[in-house]
């Protein structure tokens, strides 16, 4: 397919370093051209052994580095808005990790900026859309085999939450994946959200509302419920059951090798999201690279990032005692009329 | 074990006839001594070929028939209260099909009558407590292997609803099983209920709110959610996932023979409750007969029937627009202090 | 269905005592009328609390005891031939535990004696024919859904073997179940057998050839392979996969409750055959009682007991170094022309 | 990782074209530098749109083309020996599709040629070693969790066989995968083989012995049985159960999305090997490219290709009526002393 796509990676933390490795060693057709991180030692370490890459403390400098044709944003969420707007100004295609922009107002500014350009440049890192099982479920629903979807039952469990994880982050960090997946699978916006708080698990840090049970209502009357439990202790489980008028389908069940030994027959449960969704990340980035080299944007876009941000904020308000909270989206710009899902 | 227990069966409809067949041909240690049904032709047909049984139009007459030592009530719900009180008056042990008494006030009168006797005589027909998988889940929870239970996720699906099934019956007939199962599994009363109504399936009769999504809160802060969908079209599915502080457990998954042929690998789904729960009914009645012959009552009792009735009525009010409805139980009589669950 | 069938139980060991309990407490329509065991103390203990039963040291005396209308033989295998012939002489219907008669010559004498009577009286205790999953597999094969059967792959594993278990007993005690099941499922006789001996497991007693791998060829060219491993250490597993021209089907997979906790998702494996096949034993005896009260014999008969004995003996010769051994059956008497399978 | 590895691909048929696509679009760190096929039009089509690649009718010419640093052999089996020897002469690392060389004598010449060089250059395309489930099974066995392996039960089914598929090809083309997998999983050579022939399926072409049942004995007394059925009609199934002294493990079970709709709960069965093993092919080639760029050979080698060829030839003799056939391997050259598995 010709020359390799030169990518500037912003952020060299856990996620950024993983994307650098992916671009260098896994994905075909791309190369890391520049990296930016305020901690330049960390940035340097992340690109050790890779040739032809420049290291920057400043994100905008990386966008202007030689050979940069596209941007992958893996810096902390509060830095995303400036980086996205800078990429737009340079007409650079961009893959931006979620959350696109944490606050709805900032997210709307990004939407409006891109809409003002009149062309799509941004893809948002909702990688579940690239998971093989989610894609089969989407195909099944789109083919109408189950009839009209009525409900989604979702489970999202982590072994344990990282330090400083807050009750709100169960919604705006964890459930944000289900928010996008539900919008995409159903092809509908979410119209309201209610967060219920069972008595917290003693396995969760003091003061953390964990687990939570979240119920979304869609604009056309479907229900989406999500158990989110980030200190379940035993594994990383992401499951979804879609219930339609004529049948149901489930993804995310344990599979792989089964072992029968003293104690029963067992299947392994993945322990973290990189294990469960490694292929999805690879496919996401490969697909983005391929589309970018063809001059296209094919994945979830800025509107999806904005909608997720608005729904998550409504969820946090419900968590904090507001009961059922309606979701209030801005009018959808023409540019996103037939994209996003 | 000596002589066969003589049982009077009240009601010879679908359920009554099935219990007559069970007492005669399946269960050990009992015999049908009398049967009552206003439609005596139907009663006579149900006991055809059984020796030593008398047929009655009047339920109370059957209780006084020769050889009657215990009563099985399978008549319509509105007739239960009178039959139960009559059995109590005669000190006859009784197995009463659910609902014990449809309205909470009547159910409370039954509780008070039995409490007044100072001894338990009634067992209520919540047969899930006798299903092998439910029993294993109960044992697992009681053993504390999963830690404190936090949530139950339940599914209750039927192929299609019978004629004249109403939106309220999804709660007070179908979900009543989950109401009792949740109380029993968790060892807690249900304290509040919220019924959500997705857009109805086009496979359901006009005007029926089907499916519904019901969320219960227990007195100690656990959540129980139930998808009830009585016109799902494809099978009878009763599933339950218990989520505890240290693990989760699921029952009701399809199993049995798997067939691989064109189209994939498939497992059969049972088509009705008699298929799925045939063993549970057999075990329920066998256990009742055995306990009765020993002079004991071991199963769910009148308090469980009363509590189910109160919770179901609250659920119907929520379905009809009352939002979250608190459950208000009468004080629990001493007699039921350590029984029921 | 009228009076209870009076049954004489011969043998009050592990299996006999279990059948006595079953006839007394589980099965409908029968009662234990007599019991015989050389160890009369053991016999007396097995019927403690049961009314109307006589205890005998001598099996034949039990057959002549008052109220005996049918016989259940659970004595050691070498005593079966005499007991069967005595039952035939008295025209008593009989349910005989496997092996019907351990040696083929004796088994043939039983066949000839019953054939001489011109009517069937004996049912042999191949209880897998009463297991729900085996029955579904049989129905599937008979319905032709998989096309003509080409192969059966069977697994037969026990946690550990009892004391004094010999290498030959892996064939004539354990695999004898697969011998009958294969004949029944396929509706064909087994024509040859080859036993292969992998290097023994260090978990097996010194000198025991365990596991073994047995390959049967049927009269119409199907193959049946059996892994038998009686010291597998982890559970009791009996599985069967039938492979037909158009598909395959499997039974005996683990199922029931699945638990997800540290270490993965697990399913329990039953630990012994009474756990796995409890329902099959109940159904076998109930069906035999029901048929006997109707004056019929519906289960596997003396011919099946004879054929199993001949095939097992050929297997033991193969195990002992004879390579592939052809199975040589006597001509099939008219009486068994269309029964047995 | 620096410059892309220039690969000459020999053969532009189905498999060659797929590898060209993989090198160009999927794998990181390599590029197609040359392609050879007697049908140069086909070769040209396979590399359409790829820059910097030369097209050749002659395989050896491709080896000498500019920029070629490694070779991928995907030409027909009979052409492999010459290509391998030519690559060795040029000291070019090579990935050779299976069978390495169809006849054992030619395979041995390749082994001896490489042994003569004193360094390994060849990797053979046994891609199951790169399948995620096979790798987990290998890890489990190597970790000793199941104890010493006693048996492998394998299933290898295809929807239908290609035109001109012969009875011998069930062994030397299909089962050759199990031959390598068994050697690798067990770390032992196969010492004998017996092929059994059930009555052929009516779904197989006239005259084809399909299915077959193959039993291998390893040098240390383990058994490996394989059902191979290449016209099973319903899907592509590759399963393996390893039975050890302390437990068993299974891979290749259906998984992914489960759909419950009229007819039961079903899982999809893959329809061909590219579907089932797509990831394994990708990983195989990526791993080969990575190792080659580091100057290493890490995968299955010429000795494995030779051993598979000898075992397959013994299997074909057994199929043709020779009964149990012992496997006779040449002495293993020093070079392969601790590699291959």
């Amino acid at each position: 397919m010709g020359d390799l796509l030169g990518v500037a990676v912003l952020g060299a933390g856990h996620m950024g370093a993983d994307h650098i490795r992916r671009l260098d060693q896994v994905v075909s057709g791309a190369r890391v051209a520049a990296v930016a991180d305020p901690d330049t030692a960390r940035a340097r370490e992340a690109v050790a052994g890779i040739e032809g890459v420049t290291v920057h403390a400043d994100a905008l400098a990386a966008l202007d580095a030689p050979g940069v044709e596209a941007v992958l944003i893996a810096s902390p969420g509060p830095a995303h808005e400036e980086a996205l707007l800078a990429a737009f100004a340079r007409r650079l295609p961009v893959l931006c990790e979620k959350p696109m922009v944490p606050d709805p107002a900032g997210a709307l500014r990004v939407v409006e900026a891109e809409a003002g350009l009149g062309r799509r440049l941004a893809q948002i890192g909702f990688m579940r859309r690239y998971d093989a099982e989610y894609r089969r479920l989407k195909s099944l629903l789109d083919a109408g085999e189950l009839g009209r979807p009525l409900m989604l039952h979702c489970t999202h469990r982590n072994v344990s939450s990282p330090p400083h994880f807050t009750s709100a982050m169960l919604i705006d960090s964890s459930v944000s994946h289900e928010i996008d997946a539900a919008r995409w699978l159903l092809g509908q916006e979410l119209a309201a959200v209610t967060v219920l708080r069972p008595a917290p698990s003693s396995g969760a840090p003091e003061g953390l509302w964990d687990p939570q049970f979240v119920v979304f209502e869609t604009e056309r009357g479907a229900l989406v419920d999500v158990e989110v439990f980030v200190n379940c202790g035993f594994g990383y489980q992401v499951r979804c059951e879609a219930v339609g008028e004529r049948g149901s389908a489930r993804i995310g069940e344990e599979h792989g090798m089964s072992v029968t030994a003293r104690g029963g027959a067992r299947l392994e449960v993945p322990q973290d999201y990189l294990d469960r969704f490694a292929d999805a990340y690879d496919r996401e980035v490969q697909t983005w690279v391929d589309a970018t080299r063809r001059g296209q944007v094919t994945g979830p876009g800025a509107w999806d990032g904005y909608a997720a941000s608005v729904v998550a904020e409504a969820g946090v308000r419900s968590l904090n005692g507001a009961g059922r909270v309606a979701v209030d989206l801005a009018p959808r710009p023409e540019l996103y009329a037939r994209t996003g899902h």
Side-chain angles (χ1 to χ4, degrees), chain A residues 16-316:
Chain A
D18 194 56
H19 278 309
I20 287 167
R21 177 196 60 76
R22 183 171 288 111
L23 287 166
D24 185 49
Q25 296 173 28
V26 179
V27 163
S28 171
R31 66 182 192 88
V32 181
V35 60
D37 198 291
D39 180 345
T40 51
R42 180 165 83 166
R44 208 161 280 122
E45 186 180 355
V47 298
I50 306 180
E51 294 175 18
V53 54
T54 55
V55 175
H56 310 264
D58 178 53
L60 301 198
L63 299 193
D64 296 323
V68 168
E69 300 162 282
V71 188
L72 194 161
I73 302 177
S75 50
H80 288 188
E81 181 179 351
E82 184 188 15
L84 282 160
L85 297 178
F88 291 171
R90 289 160 178 78
R91 302 297 191 272
L92 288 172
V94 57
L95 175 59
C96 180
E97 268 303 324
K98 59 162 282 281
M100 180 177 81
V101 176
D103 67 294
L108 187 56
R109 284 191 294 270
V110 169
V111 162
E112 287 167 348
E114 195 186 38
L117 293 179
R119 59 179 275 216
R120 287 190 53 197
L121 286 170
Q123 173 171 333
I124 311 306
F126 292 119
M127 90 293 179
R128 287 201 191 161
R129 301 194 187 194
Y130 296 92
D131 174 68
E133 293 195 18
Y134 271 95
R135 292 173 83 85
R136 290 171 81 171
L137 181 55
K138 172 70 169 162
S139 295
L140 188 85
L141 292 173
D142 287 355
E145 197 181 328
L146 304 184
R148 183 168 52 83
L150 303 168
M151 287 172 282
L152 298 180
H153 304 308
C154 308
T155 308
H156 185 144
R157 296 173 184 155
N158 296 78
V159 177
S160 59
S161 56
H164 314 304
F165 211 74
T166 65
S167 295
M169 290 169 80
L170 273 83
I171 305 294
D172 61 29
S173 175
S174 300
V175 176
S176 67
H177 284 290
E178 274 76 21
I179 291 172
D180 182 67
R183 293 178 63 253
W184 175 63
L185 288 170
L186 300 175
Q188 298 180 50
E189 296 295 351
L190 304 182
V193 54
T194 308
V195 177
L196 298 164
R197 305 180 307 196
S201 171
S202 64
E206 184 70 28
L208 192 70
W209 284 105
D210 182 32
Q212 297 176 23
F213 191 73
V214 186
V215 182
F216 298 104
E217 304 161 43
T218 75
E219 57 186 337
R220 294 203 291 277
L223 281 190
V224 179
D225 58 90
V226 184
E227 175 205 317
V228 56
F229 187 7
V230 299
N231 290 280
C232 80
F234 59 82
Y236 180 69
Q237 280 187 314
V238 169
R239 303 190 304 211
C240 182
E241 177 174 25
V243 183
E245 296 186 319
R246 288 197 295 274
S248 74
R250 299 206 289 190
I251 59 171
E253 301 299 307
E254 281 68 41
H255 48 60
M257 181 171 66
S258 70
V259 178
T260 306
R262 195 167 294 283
R266 68 183 158 76
L267 289 161
E268 288 175 75
V269 176
Q271 292 301 299
D272 66 30
Y273 70 95
L274 286 178
D275 183 3
R276 168 69 177 84
F277 286 115
D279 288 346
Y281 279 109
D282 290 352
R283 194 176 292 115
E284 174 193 54
V285 177
Q286 183 71 65
T287 306
W288 174 68
V289 166
D290 292 348
T292 300
R293 294 173 85 193
R294 293 192 309 266
Q296 300 178 335
V297 179
T298 58
W303 178 259
D304 302 299
Y306 164 70
S309 163
V310 174
V311 174
E313 198 217 25
V316 172

